[in-house]
C-alpha cells in the first residue's frame, strides 16, 4: 500500500491526523495532495457542506464572533471545518488572549477541524488552496465549512466567491464609512452583523444598512441585519438561525447548485493554470534562448508583450517535441 | 495614421487625455492598450519613477495623509501618477467629504495624474493592470508613482511588491494588534507612520514599533517610525524627506535595479498567463468534447485534476494543428 493510498484509507475512516496531513499537502499545492484528494473525493458524497464566509474589517470583533458562533454550532453537534485566511486571526496566533484560549478549546473538540492559511503567498495561491481545502472538508463529511477572512477591500472576492453564505461583520458608527462598503464587499454579503451592538450608534448603523439593502436589487433573499455582542454571547443563536435560513432559501432555488458549479469550475481553472505555469518554468530551465529573453525583459531591454508571444511559441515547440 | 499610433504620438507630446485613454485600456487589459504601451515604452527612458506604496487599515487616516503628501510633492514641482487600489479611497468617491475635495483639487493640477482601479475584478487582474499602469506613468515621465492600497491582509502583497518604497500607516494604541502585523505586512514596510499622533498612546506605539524593527533583521535600511497628524499637515515634510532618503539608499545599492527587474519579470509572467488563459477559453469554445468535460467538472461528475490534464492535452493538440 502506498503512502497516499494509506492516507486515503485513513481519511475514509475519519482519521483527523490524516485530514491534517491532507490539508497541509493541499496548502503546499503538492502532487501528493492532489492525488490523495482526487481519490478521496471520488469516493465521497459531494457538495453537502454549507460553506459560510465571515468577513469584516479588523477591530470589528470578528474573530471573537467566529469563535463563539463555532462553539455554538459544535455544541449543537455540528461537524465544523474552519479555514482562516487572516493574519489577525486567533487561529494563526495573532490575536487577543481571550480569543486564543477560546479557539484552543474549540480545536480540542472532536467535531471541529481548523486549518489556518497563514502563508505569505500570493492571493492566487491562497484562493487555490482554499477551494481544494473546502472540498477536502466536504469529503471528510463536515456539516459547515467556515472561512474567516479580513474583507475590507475587493481583493478577497476570489476567496469569498467560493462561499455559499457571506456574513459581513461590522461595528456601530459606520457613518460615512457606509459609502466605502458600497464600492465593494457590500453587495456580496448575505447577512450583515453589527457587532459590539452595546456601543452608541448601533441602531443607526442597523437602520443605515437596512436602507442600503432596501436600495439594492434583491431577488432570492433580502439580507437581514443582525445585532450581536460577541463578548457577551448575545445574538449568536439568531445569527446561526439566519445562516441556516439562508441555506434553506438557496436549496429551494438554483443558487445552491449554481454555487457548487462555480466552485468546481474554479478548481479546474486553477489547476490548468498551475500546470501551464509549470510548463513555462520547465521551458525557462531547459531553453537557454528563452532564459536569455527573460533576462532581457527583466533588465528592461525587451518589452514583455513581444517576449510573451515568443515564449508562447517556444512552449508550443516544447509541446510539439514531446508529442513527436 | 492608426488610432494607436495617434495615441502614442500624443503620449510622447505629454498629452494627459491620451494618458487617460491608455490607462483605461490597460485597466481593461485590451490588446490596443498593450500595443500602445509597447510602442510608447520602447521610445522612453525606463524605470526612472520612484514607486511608493502607501498602505494601512481603514480608519488610519491613510487617504487624508496620501492627499496631503501628494499635495506637498505637487507644490514642490514633482510630477505624480497616483494609482488607487482601494474602494475606501477618496479617488474612487467613497470617503469623507474633506478628502474628496482635496483630491479633486489635486486632480486639477497639471502635474498630477490619478488612476483609480475600482473594478470588482480579481486581485490577479488588478495586480496585472497595476504593473502596466506603473510602467505607463513611468514612460510618461512622472517623478513619483503613488500606489494607495488597504493593506490589512497578506492579499495585497502582489500589488505592493511592485513598489520601491512601502509606507505602512497606522494609528496610536496598537497594543495587542502589533502582534497581528508581525504575521504579514509588517516585514515589507520601509517606513512606519503613526498618524493621528495627537491621540493618546502615540509615543508608546512608536516605541513598540521601534522595538519590533530592532528585533527584525535589517541590512540596507533600518525603517524609521514617523509621527504625523495629517489633518493638521504635521509631519508631512519629514515623511517626504524619509521617502526620498529611502530612494537614495536603494540607488546606492543593488536594490533599486533589483526592484525594477522584479517588476519587469512580473509583467512578463502576467502577460504569458493571460495569453494562455485566452488559449484555453478558445479551446472550450471550439471543442465540444472539452466543453462537455468542463460541464462535467462543474456538475461535480468529474474530478478537476484528471480533467485539467486532459484539457492540457487538448491545448497541445490545438497548438499542433495550428502549427501544421
Amino acid at each position: 500500500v502506498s503512502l497516499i493510498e494509506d492516507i486515503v484509507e485513513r481519511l475514509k475512516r475519519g482519521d483527523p491526523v490524516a485530514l491534517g496531513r491532507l490539508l497541509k499537502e493541499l496548502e503546499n499545492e503538492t502532487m501528493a495532495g492532489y492525488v490523495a484528494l482526487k481519490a478521496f473525493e471520488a469516493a465521497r458524497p459531494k457538495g453537502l457542506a454549507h460553506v459560510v464566509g465571515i468577513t469584516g474589517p479588523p477591530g470589528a470583533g470578528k474573530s471573537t464572533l467566529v469563535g463563539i458562533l463555532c462553539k455554538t454550532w459544535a455544541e449543537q453537534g455540528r461537524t465544523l471545518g474552519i479555514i482562516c485566511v487572516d493574519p489577525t486571526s486567533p487561529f494563526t496566533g495573532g490575536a487577543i488572549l481571550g480569543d486564543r484560549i477560546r479557539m484552543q478549546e474549540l480545536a480540542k473538540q472532536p467535531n471541529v477541524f481548523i486549518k489556518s492559511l497563514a502563508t505569505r503567498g500570493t492571493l492566487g495561491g491562497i484562493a487555490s488552496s482554499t477551494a481544494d481545502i473546502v472540498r477536502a472538508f466536504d469529503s471528510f463529511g463536515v456539516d459547515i465549512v467556515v472561512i474567516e477572512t479580513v474583507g475590507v477591500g475587493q481583493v478577497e472576492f476570489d476567496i469569498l466567491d467560493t462561499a455559499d453564505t457571506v456574513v459581513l461583520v461590522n461595528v456601530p458608527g459606520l457613518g460615512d464609512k457606509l459609502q466605502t462598503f458600497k464600492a465593494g464587499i457590500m453587495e456580496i454579503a448575505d447577512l450583515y452583523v453589527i457587532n459590539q451592538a452595546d456601543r452608541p450608534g448601533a441602531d443607526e448603523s442597523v437602520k443605515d444598512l437596512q436602507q442600503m439593502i432596501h436600495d439594492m436589487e434583491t431577488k432570492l433573499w433580502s439580507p437581514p441585519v443582525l445585532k450581536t455582542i460577541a463578548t457577551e454571547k448575545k445574538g449568536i443563536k439568531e445569527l446561526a438561525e439566519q445562516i441556516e435560513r439562508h441555506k434553506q432559501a438557496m436549496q429551494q432555488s438554483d443558487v445552491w447548485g449554481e454555487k457548487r458549479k462555480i466552485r468546481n469550475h474554479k478548481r479546474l481553472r486553477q489547476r490548468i493554470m498551475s500546470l501551464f505555469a509549470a510548463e513555462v518554468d520547465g521551458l525557462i530551465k531547459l531553453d537557454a534562448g528563452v532564459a536569455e529573453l527573460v533576462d532581457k525583459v527583466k533588465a528592461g531591454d525587451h518589452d514583455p508583450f513581444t517576449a510573451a508571444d515568443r515564449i508562447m511559441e517556444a512552449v508550443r515547440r516544447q509541446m510539439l517535441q514531446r508529442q513527436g
Side-chain angles (χ1 to χ4, degrees), chain A:
Chain A
V1 191
S2 80
L3 185 65
I4 291 173
E5 282 168 26
D6 177 53
I7 284 179
V8 173
E9 280 315 306
R10 283 161 56 203
L11 283 167
K12 286 182 189 167
R13 292 198 304 267
D15 178 350
V17 177
L19 177 65
R21 175 68 186 276
L22 174 64
L23 300 184
K24 187 83 211 154
E25 297 292 329
L26 294 174
E27 180 183 9
N28 294 335
E29 301 180 63
T30 67
M31 188 50 68
Y34 298 139
V35 173
L37 179 57
K38 183 178 140 183
F40 183 43
E41 68 175 294
R44 310 294 284 194
K46 55 183 184 283
L48 296 186
H50 182 193
V51 183
V52 180
I54 303 184
T55 192
K62 180 171 45 73
S63 295
T64 311
L65 187 73
V66 169
I68 307 262
L69 180 64
C70 289
K71 194 162 173 278
T72 304
W73 274 328
E75 284 166 0
Q76 290 171 357
R78 310 288 189 97
T79 312
L80 299 178
I82 305 173
I83 306 171
C84 291
V85 194
D86 180 352
T88 71
S89 157
F91 301 109
T92 56
I96 56 173
L97 192 62
D99 284 337
R100 223 146 52 207
I101 291 167
R102 191 175 303 109
M103 290 305 149
Q104 280 162 6
E105 279 170 12
L106 198 58
K108 278 182 206 151
Q109 308 241 22
N111 54 338
V112 177
F113 308 96
I114 298 174
K115 179 67 192 163
S116 74
L117 298 176
T119 47
R120 261 172 247 156
T122 58
L123 179 67
I126 292 172
S128 168
S129 306
T130 302
D132 284 331
I133 287 168
V134 165
R135 183 65 180 108
F137 275 137
D138 184 39
S139 297
F140 199 71
V142 307
D143 300 313
I144 303 169
V145 177
V146 177
I147 307 177
E148 184 191 351
T149 72
V150 179
V152 289
Q154 299 171 333
V155 289
E156 273 156 324
F157 275 61
D158 249 14
I159 293 167
L160 288 175
D161 72 1
T162 63
D164 297 310
T165 302
V166 174
V167 180
L168 179 58
V169 183
N170 234 299
V171 280
L174 299 167
D176 273 327
K177 282 183 193 160
L178 264 188
Q179 286 282 348
T180 70
F181 290 112
K182 274 189 186 165
I185 210 100
M186 203 70 196
E187 288 90 339
I188 65 160
D190 303 299
L191 280 113
Y192 299 91
V193 171
I194 296 293
N195 191 32
Q196 303 177 16
D198 48 347
R199 279 172 44 177
D203 291 326
E204 287 87 331
S205 291
V206 170
K207 244 169 59 186
D208 286 349
L209 276 168
Q210 281 169 339
Q211 183 57 46
M212 185 170 300
I213 291 159
H214 187 261
D215 295 344
M216 292 194 298
E217 192 113 349
T218 49
K219 285 163 200 161
L220 166 74
W221 170 262
S222 182
V225 183
L226 305 170
K227 287 197 286 187
T228 58
I229 310 172
T231 49
E232 297 173 19
K233 307 188 186 182
K234 282 186 182 155
I236 305 301
K237 210 174 126 257
E238 293 72 17
L239 175 58
E241 280 168 9
Q242 289 293 332
I243 291 173
E244 182 63 27
R245 205 168 67 84
H246 184 244
K247 180 186 176 182
Q248 284 162 7
M250 283 187 292
Q251 287 182 329
Q252 282 158 19
S253 75
D254 295 342
V255 177
W256 183 260
E258 218 33 68
K259 291 253 188 188
R260 268 137 199 80
K261 278 190 189 170
I262 292 168
R263 209 180 295 154
N264 289 330
H265 190 206
K266 192 171 161 173
R267 287 179 66 209
L268 174 63
R269 283 203 79 90
Q270 283 168 343
R271 181 70 191 139
I272 295 172
M273 291 315 273
S274 116
L275 287 175
F276 177 72
E279 188 87 39
V280 174
D281 288 341
L283 179 73
I284 292 169
K285 257 184 211 143
L286 289 171
D287 187 325
V290 169
E292 199 186 321
L293 180 60
V294 171
D295 283 342
K296 271 189 187 168
V297 172
K298 280 189 190 172
D301 296 331
H302 200 297
D303 79 278
F305 304 111
T306 320
D309 289 341
R310 282 183 51 194
I311 290 169
M312 281 302 282
E313 202 44 57
V315 169
R316 271 180 208 125
R317 280 200 309 272
Q318 176 174 265
M319 286 173 166
L320 253 161
Q321 277 176 353
R322 204 177 305 146
Q323 205 88 7

